[in-house]
Amino acid sequence: MNNRIERIRHILTSLQPETFEIIDQSHLHSSHYHSDQSDATHIKIIISSPLLDGKSKIQQHRIVYGLLREELTKGLHALSIEIIPTTQEDPDKIL
């Protein structure tokens, strides 16, 4: 697997995501971050996974960063993470 986005997609499948999107935002940072790499350097991840539910935002981000540690040491410069809960509270539920 040569493409960083494909490697990230493969790595994060271990979280058994229900919703999963990887957005390459490298082009938005070309004016201030110069890299000789052709691979993505700025990535946004939107993910929904039952394995992240019930954890604090810090715990969720630590899990994702931990899984992507190697990519972060090999040229991934910035990572934005948006985590969506898999279960939404029922708005009609009476407390």
Side-chain angles (χ1 to χ4, degrees):
M1 249 180 263
N2 293 339
N3 183 296
R4 176 167 286 127
I5 290 177
E6 289 306 313
R7 290 191 307 267
I8 289 172
R9 185 177 313 284
H10 178 74
I11 291 166
L12 293 182
T13 58
S14 65
L15 293 175
Q16 304 166 9
E18 292 181 4
T19 303
F20 190 28
E21 186 175 359
I22 300 173
I23 303 163
D24 182 357
Q25 298 181 324
S26 302
H27 66 282
L28 300 174
H29 303 273
S30 61
S31 66
H32 69 270
Y33 183 78
H34 303 287
S35 173
D36 58 355
Q37 296 184 1
S38 60
D39 227 346
T41 57
H42 294 69
I43 300 271
K44 178 175 183 173
I45 294 170
I46 302 169
I47 189 167
S48 175
S49 166
L51 299 177
L52 298 173
D53 285 348
K55 294 180 174 31
S56 72
K57 191 173 215 174
I58 292 172
Q59 290 171 320
Q60 293 171 335
H61 283 231
R62 283 181 179 162
I63 290 168
V64 173
Y65 271 89
L67 289 170
L68 299 178
R69 180 175 291 129
E70 185 174 345
E71 290 297 327
L72 288 160
T73 64
K74 292 185 176 179
L76 179 57
H77 176 70
L79 179 61
S80 171
I81 304 169
E82 180 180 340
I83 298 179
I84 303 167
T86 59
T87 56
Q88 298 292 330
E89 207 44 52
D90 182 355
D92 299 323
K93 183 179 177 181
I94 299 174
L95 299 177

